[in-house]
Amino acid sequence: MKFISLVTAGAVWGKVWPILVAILFFGLIIFFHELGHFTFAKIFKVKVHEFAMGMGPTLFKFKKGETKYALRLLPIGGFVSMEGEDEDSEVEGALCNKPAWQRFIIIAAGGVVNLIMGVIIVALMLSQMDLIGLPEVHSFHENSVSSQYGLQEKDKIKKINGKNVYSEYDLSFLMTRDDDGVFDFVVERDAEKVTLEGVKFATKENNGKLTIMYDFIIKGVEPTFLNVVKNAVKESVSIGRIVWISLLDLVTGQYGLSDLSGPIGTVTYIADAAEIAKQETDYSYLLAMLAMITINIGLFNLFPLPALDGGRLFFLVIEMIFRKPVPRKYEGWVHAIGLVLLLILMAAISFSDIWRLIKG
């Protein structure tokens, strides 16, 4: 019986620990996001009432100086409560009385810290690779189709269908989005820019979708400190652009809500990636996913949407341009409506995540 109990406990732990890793990672994203707000609030001498991790009932708290630090029950968020954040205040150190540029930095700091965190994760991923992939043709597979349409070895790919290519992420993403296997390339060849129109690739149909057959091998370089730093920045820019392009695809109807994932779905993906990393002792896929999520959250928070940091930044930009703030009640209405719409969207996405889990 003891043996069976141990086996059962091991099986349960095997299912639970990847989910705990995912929740811990989300906690770190939230922690560093709020730490960004908190740090610059303190630098600019804003009165901070509370720095909280989690939402709901308080599990643990202590006070240091004017600020209460708290850990709350539900690991679904966090916040920094500042004097004069959502209301007028004459209290010394109120956020509302600070210059607009200081408020801008305090609000932007959360998303910017997430973006920096993403670059660091990408750097960790690249540093453990044998080779860092570059958007440059090293060689072709036998019977390559694209080489018959002008693509050559040592070509540095600069553009695909008019969009800049900064890293191998851009290369794979832009080619995956194509629907006919024919591309216009701009390459650097012998220090000159060369335009290649109508470069064809072999294709095959997979589950009703057209799949591009990549028939060339990209160049790889060994990771050094400079290579890792340079390519971490480039790949992070590429990931950020993927987020932006994907958002435009959603708005234009190329993707539907069913293609989105909220916290539930994302935790599942991270847990699966953690399990794969443990089995294969290769953490590159897990780190790539974590970087994508971190940069995604950082950028999304900075988009000029109501109820997000970016929405508040938008109103601050208006204030700095016209030297006069938008009346607080109007800004409050916009954020309130935006929050309701955001909660409805999150509820719909969460329902979709749960439905996918049920269907298996």
Side-chain angles (χ1 to χ4, degrees):
M1 292 297 291
K2 289 183 178 180
F3 174 73
I4 295 175
S5 296
L6 288 173
V7 171
T8 303
V12 171
W13 175 246
K15 297 290 186 181
V16 169
W17 78 263
I19 297 175
L20 293 178
V21 168
I23 293 173
L24 175 62
F25 178 71
F26 263 117
L28 287 174
I29 292 178
I30 295 165
F31 173 76
F32 284 109
H33 181 95
E34 299 302 335
L35 185 63
H37 295 313
F38 175 80
T39 300
F40 281 94
K42 288 295 188 180
I43 288 173
F44 294 130
K45 302 187 186 306
V46 173
K47 185 175 183 179
V48 179
H49 295 299
E50 183 175 354
F51 184 131
M53 285 298 299
M55 306 295 281
T58 301
L59 297 176
F60 170 78
K61 65 181 179 180
F62 68 92
K63 192 167 185 178
K64 185 175 181 182
E66 64 185 10
T67 305
K68 179 175 76 174
Y69 301 85
L71 178 64
R72 294 175 177 251
L73 178 62
L74 304 176
I76 55 174
F79 61 88
V80 174
S81 175
M82 294 173 277
E83 178 69 30
E85 183 177 1
D86 295 312
E87 71 286 324
D88 293 325
S89 174
E90 298 301 324
V91 174
E92 184 179 359
L95 178 66
C96 59
N97 297 326
K98 296 295 180 180
W101 67 270
Q102 290 186 5
R103 284 180 278 144
F104 188 97
I105 292 174
I106 292 169
I107 294 171
V112 172
V113 167
N114 285 146
L115 295 178
I116 294 171
M117 184 179 172
V119 175
I120 293 171
I121 294 173
V122 173
L124 289 173
M125 177 186 72
L126 296 180
S127 65
Q128 72 163 0
M129 289 182 170
D130 295 328
L131 294 173
I132 299 173
L134 303 179
E136 179 177 341
V137 179
H138 175 269
S139 57
F140 291 92
H141 294 301
E142 188 176 357
N143 299 320
S144 162
V145 174
S146 63
S147 62
Q148 301 171 28
Y149 286 86
L151 209 58
Q152 297 182 10
E153 292 182 1
K154 299 183 179 180
D155 279 349
K156 297 179 180 178
I157 300 172
K158 297 298 183 181
K159 288 187 178 182
I160 295 178
N161 290 340
K163 295 188 181 300
N164 290 327
V165 173
Y166 303 107
S167 72
E168 65 168 324
Y169 271 102
D170 291 319
L171 191 63
S172 58
F173 177 71
L174 293 174
M175 292 184 70
T176 301
R177 293 180 77 246
D178 190 75
D179 57 5
D180 64 359
V182 182
F183 304 87
D184 294 334
F185 283 85
V186 174
V187 302
E188 183 180 313
R189 181 183 298 167
D190 298 326
E192 292 185 358
K193 294 286 179 68
V194 179
T195 299
L196 305 173
E197 296 182 350
V199 178
K200 293 186 179 181
F201 287 78
T203 61
K204 70 175 182 179
E205 193 169 305
N206 187 14
N207 295 325
K209 293 184 178 181
L210 200 66
T211 302
I212 309 297
M213 306 298 292
Y214 299 100
D215 58 11
F216 62 85
I217 300 169
I218 61 174
K219 179 181 178 180
V221 294
E222 293 186 2
T224 63
F225 178 78
L226 290 179
N227 271 342
V228 166
V229 171
K230 180 175 71 173
N231 287 287
V233 173
K234 284 185 175 182
E235 294 200 6
S236 297
V237 170
S238 296
I239 291 171
R241 191 171 65 160
I242 288 171
V243 174
W244 175 249
I245 292 175
S246 298
L247 181 63
L248 292 178
D249 287 343
L250 178 66
V251 172
T252 56
Q254 188 165 337
Y255 296 121
L257 287 179
S258 60
D259 297 306
L260 295 178
S261 285
I264 297 171
T266 305
V267 165
T268 304
Y269 295 140
I270 295 175
D272 291 342
E275 181 64 28
I276 293 171
K278 181 186 176 184
Q279 292 175 357
E280 300 181 0
T281 62
D282 180 2
Y283 294 90
S284 57
Y285 175 65
L286 175 61
L287 289 171
M289 178 171 288
L290 298 183
M292 176 75 77
I293 292 168
T294 306
I295 293 171
N296 192 323
I297 290 174
L299 274 180
F300 188 72
N301 266 283
L302 294 174
F303 284 153
L305 300 174
L308 298 178
D309 290 343
R312 296 179 181 275
L313 294 175
F314 176 77
F315 282 101
L316 276 172
V317 169
I318 293 176
E319 178 181 340
M320 287 188 284
I321 291 174
F322 293 100
R323 305 294 180 90
K324 183 180 180 180
V326 175
R328 188 176 290 277
K329 66 175 182 178
Y330 298 133
E331 181 179 349
W333 291 345
V334 171
H335 291 314
I337 294 170
L339 180 60
V340 170
L341 293 176
L342 184 62
L343 290 174
I344 293 172
L345 176 63
M346 290 304 299
I349 294 172
S350 296
F351 177 81
S352 177
D353 287 340
I354 294 169
W355 181 247
R356 279 198 292 262
L357 287 174
I358 293 173
K359 290 174 65 177

